[in-house]
Amino acid sequence: MRHIRNHTALLAAISSIAVVTAAPAFAEEIIIGAATAQTGGLAPYDQPALAGLRMAIDELNAKGGLAGKYKVNLIIKDTRSDTAQTATVTQELIDAGAKIMITPCDADPSISAGQLTQPLGIPSLTLCGSAPVLTQAVGDVMFGTYPADNLQATAVADFAIAEGKRKVFLLTSPDATYVANLPEYFGKVFEKKGGKIVGRGTFTMNQPDFSAEITNIKGLAEQPDLIMTAAYEPDFPAFIQQLRGAGINIPVYGADAIGTPTIKALGKLVDGVVYTAAGYPEAGSKLEAFNAAFTKHAGHAPESTYEVNGYEIGLILDQAVKTAGSDDPKAIRDAIANLKDFEGITGKITYAGTDRMPLRPVVLMRYEGGEPKYVETVVPAAADVPAP
């Protein structure tokens, strides 16, 4: 999940694109369907990830396609950030012959897509959806690719405890799985490690007024030393502006959906805000090299780690087809499910032994002086990660 508005002006105007890159004449074709948000609230997350995936496919097609044999025909259709529309375009992509499906950066539309791909055995990968309930709600064809919500929440909770935070206020919304559940996962880990939840608040997504929640926080008998929320755009900017405007300077922690240029543009207003990412481009790292290559390929620098996550999806699919030795959807699905310690750009990625949500590192970031600053890279202990 996960507002960047200017980077996809061209893509947002296109409702269906077939990306076909030249490959040797002997290559067979494999259709990958991409049901993604080119417009609406999810576009700022889907589009960077899709850009990374397209880069990977361009490179792979130049070498003959997946496994050097299957040239990719990537067909993209706009979900308009709508769950029902996601189901509609997913069916259109199935009808077009898709053997692999890419779904949006959110659980609800991805589940609607998965309900169509599951009976057909079509492996389906969400661009950056991170709700661990996603794979359980669909079945064995659905795969997450980004660090899961409960994994991110554990990393943030561990960090909060290490910083001496002991009392937290959780702000959630029932309108999206990500915003509803991630703070609750945080709360479970936080309490387990000695913290206390002193209050909870809820909001309606896309509401402009957070005065009720702010009054709630002000009126708590025990004031929190931390506010945890998975709110994202446009809700997070509205909340943090009104919170600080009310004179409340309690630190706010979030997750990956606030690692965007729009949040950064809030400047010192978001100083102290902690969030997560899939990687950090340390000097000499693979991610630093990827960012340089992406900039050359796309004509602009990556805006987040969603680009590299999309690129890694391409690498995962290439490895899966190599392992499968065919373009059979079931064989590809099985190969992804058994992937272990796959060397991606951001680190090792493992699906083997999981519920199809990957085990992978989580990066912690914090806004300081109006700029995102690297804190650390962690791999939370499996025993600490709460069950979905």
Side-chain angles (χ1 to χ4, degrees), residues 3 6 18 54 87 104 123 126 133 144 193 200 203 216 234 236 282 308 312 325 348 367 371:
H3 238 270
N6 58 359
R54 291 176 63 149
T126 169
V133 297
K193 299 200 171 184
R200 284 182 169 85
F203 67 95
N216 183 7
F236 186 85
E282 296 183 82
V308 70
E312 287 176 319
K348 292 182 178 180
Y367 289 108
E371 294 291 331

Side-chain angles (χ1 to χ4, degrees), residues 224-240:
D225 47 23
L226 171 69
I227 296 169
M228 171 58 182
T229 183
Y232 53 95
E233 303 172 34
D235 303 309
F236 186 85
F239 172 69
I240 196 76

Side-chain angles (χ1 to χ4, degrees), residues 288-313:
E288 182 186 54
F290 166 81
N291 286 351
F294 179 89
T295 301
K296 183 176 181 181
H297 178 87
H300 62 84
E303 298 164 336
S304 62
T305 52
Y306 299 129
E307 288 91 343
V308 70
N309 193 70
Y311 185 85
E312 287 176 319
I313 291 172

Side-chain angles (χ1 to χ4, degrees), residues 60-131:
L60 290 165
N61 275 347
K63 299 175 183 177
L66 298 182
K69 182 179 180 181
Y70 300 97
K71 184 179 67 173
V72 177
N73 179 356
L74 178 65
I75 304 177
I76 305 167
K77 289 185 175 289
D78 187 8
T79 67
R80 304 201 297 265
S81 300
D82 179 78
T83 298
Q85 180 66 11
T86 301
T88 297
V89 300
T90 298
Q91 186 61 58
E92 292 173 355
L93 292 165
I94 291 171
D95 293 342
K99 292 188 175 181
I100 297 168
M101 192 69 65
I102 305 299
T103 69
C105 281
D106 191 41
D108 298 330
S110 290
I111 289 170
S112 75
Q115 289 170 343
L116 297 171
T117 58
Q118 178 67 35
L120 302 174
I122 298 173
S124 305
L125 297 86
T126 169
L127 278 172
C128 55
S130 53

Side-chain angles (χ1 to χ4, degrees), residues 6-24:
N6 58 359
H7 73 292
T8 56
L10 177 60
L11 283 178
I14 303 173
S15 62
S16 180
I17 309 168
V19 178
V20 183
T21 303

